[in-house]
Amino acid sequence: MKELERMYAEVLPPDEKAVVAGRRRLLAAAHDAGSVPARGRRRPQIGRGWRLAAPVGLTAALTAGVIVAAQGGDPGEGGGPGPITLRPVAAPQDLAHNAALVAANEPAGKAGPTRWAYLKTVFVPTQEGGGPPLFGAPKKTRTQEMWRRTDDRQFALTEGGRLRVVNGSKSLPTGVNRMDYPYLLSLPTRPDGLLAQVYKTVDAEYARSFANWKKPIPANASNRTREKYELMRKSKPIPPTAEERNARAFELITLYMRDAVLPPKIQAALYGAAAKIPGIRYEAKATDVAGRAGVTLYRVDNGYLRREIIINPRSYGYMGFRVVAIKDHREAGVPPVKQGQTIGWGALLEATFVSGPGQRS
């Protein structure tokens, strides 16, 4: 009973629409089952063809995991995957496991080079974005609609109620810190492979810094350029510690999800990769900047900065992020922060692939 009490506390109650719809399906299935003769006809399978919209409040389901019926028939009948069992979530690995199962049963969707991703986001102007330090609830937020073509050749924004389309670069970036759409859509769909690629990027960032530090000053450099080189030479790049590598790896994963509509399998792989980073924790109660309830994967970086990914506990979709200082910190080259200060905070309200700029579904 204590275990059930703990798990009940970790799940959110279903909304009223889900309860009404579920009750209707249950009663219909019970009626059909009672009208079928005991012999000569196959027993109806309750739940096939629909997907649970919220955690169910049944003792057996909470004890053994939640069973979600995927679209289609049973395995081996040619109708697609059968029911999947979701674990009660108590750790990052449980969340990643469930997200991967749900993603495997989601349609892949089409994200070809001429598709557009529509994102509606709300964020707080904090220190991360050049705003003032934030303590407590934000006094104001900014909502933005953006359309981004999946080849990154064009972007669109709403300005003053009007749609403005701008052209992007004609060639894809080739540097270390790639956040372009073709790169994000090419990320591995297995957590181990994706995490290896993330750490490769972290190491490449240091290698680039070291290579820049070793560059000779151009013979025809201006005095201003020479001053920059000489200033850079005064601080030799130091290889990152294990903690710094892990902190940067988790930060990159959070950045990959902020401004892109990602296929379910890539998003689930990002959760799985994050769950494998040392120091990752799970918390069953979280609220995003839009006031929506969720759960969070988080990590305390370098002992003072808590970085969070906020996730929908029903669909396992990405909801947003938050970065908050849990203790005072001062460091050369980094703005000082105080305990309780929110460094970055944003939420993804809508995210879907559309056929052109200005469309929302």
Side-chain angles (χ1 to χ4, degrees), residues 95-341:
L95 186 146
H97 172 270
N98 289 355
L101 286 180
V102 172
N105 284 274
E106 289 288 335
K110 296 180 180 180
T114 59
R115 295 282 284 176
W116 287 77
Y118 165 64
L119 300 106
K120 184 177 182 180
T121 58
V122 58
F123 60 94
V124 182
T126 61
Q127 188 172 351
E128 185 182 64
L134 172 66
F135 295 90
K139 294 182 179 179
K140 65 177 182 178
T141 60
R142 290 182 58 188
T143 300
Q144 175 181 284
E145 288 185 295
M146 179 179 74
W147 289 262
R148 180 181 180 185
R149 212 168 84 165
T150 50
D151 60 1
D152 272 1
R153 296 293 179 89
Q154 284 186 308
F155 301 84
L157 294 169
T158 52
E159 295 180 349
R162 301 182 64 181
L163 184 70
R164 178 169 173 258
V165 181
V166 296
N167 293 326
S169 174
K170 293 184 178 181
S171 59
L172 293 175
T174 57
V176 173
N177 301 104
R178 289 188 61 180
M179 300 284 176
D180 57 280
Y181 231 131
Y183 176 76
L184 295 177
L185 293 175
S186 71
L187 289 172
T189 56
R190 290 185 175 275
D192 289 336
L194 199 156
L195 185 58
Q197 187 162 323
V198 169
Y199 276 118
K200 183 178 179 180
T201 299
V202 174
D203 295 335
E205 288 176 340
Y206 164 72
R208 180 186 60 184
S209 298
F210 187 73
N212 288 337
W213 179 81
K214 291 179 61 178
K215 279 184 178 179
I217 300 176
N220 59 346
S222 64
N223 291 336
R224 179 62 176 165
T225 301
R226 288 181 178 277
E227 289 177 4
K228 289 183 178 180
Y229 269 86
E230 290 171 359
L231 182 63
M232 182 179 64
R233 290 287 170 81
K234 292 181 180 180
S235 56
K236 181 180 179 180
I238 301 173
T241 63
E243 166 59 21
E244 289 169 340
R245 288 183 79 241
N246 294 334
R248 180 56 177 163
F250 187 59
E251 182 183 15
L252 284 175
I253 288 174
T254 67
L255 292 174
Y256 289 162
M257 288 187 277
R258 287 192 190 181
D259 296 313
V261 183
L262 297 176
K265 289 184 179 180
I266 292 180
Q267 192 170 90
L270 286 167
Y271 298 157
K276 292 176 178 291
I277 297 175
I280 297 300
R281 298 290 183 266
Y282 166 79
E283 192 169 306
K285 294 181 180 179
T287 304
D288 72 0
V289 70
R292 302 174 298 177
V295 299
T296 182
L297 293 179
Y298 73 92
R299 187 179 193 281
V300 177
D301 296 346
N302 300 304
Y304 79 97
L305 199 64
R306 172 168 163 146
R307 194 178 299 278
E308 303 175 345
I309 300 173
I310 303 174
I311 300 166
N312 187 310
R314 300 185 179 94
S315 67
Y316 295 95
Y318 171 79
M319 290 175 60
F321 71 95
R322 189 175 74 131
V323 184
V324 61
I326 62 170
K327 61 185 293 187
D328 294 355
H329 183 78
R330 284 183 174 274
E331 182 180 344
V334 179
V337 296
K338 292 186 176 294
Q339 183 177 350
Q341 180 180 345

Side-chain angles (χ1 to χ4, degrees), residues 339-351:
Q339 183 177 350
Q341 180 180 345
T342 299
I343 312 300
W345 201 1
L348 184 61
L349 302 181
E350 295 180 35

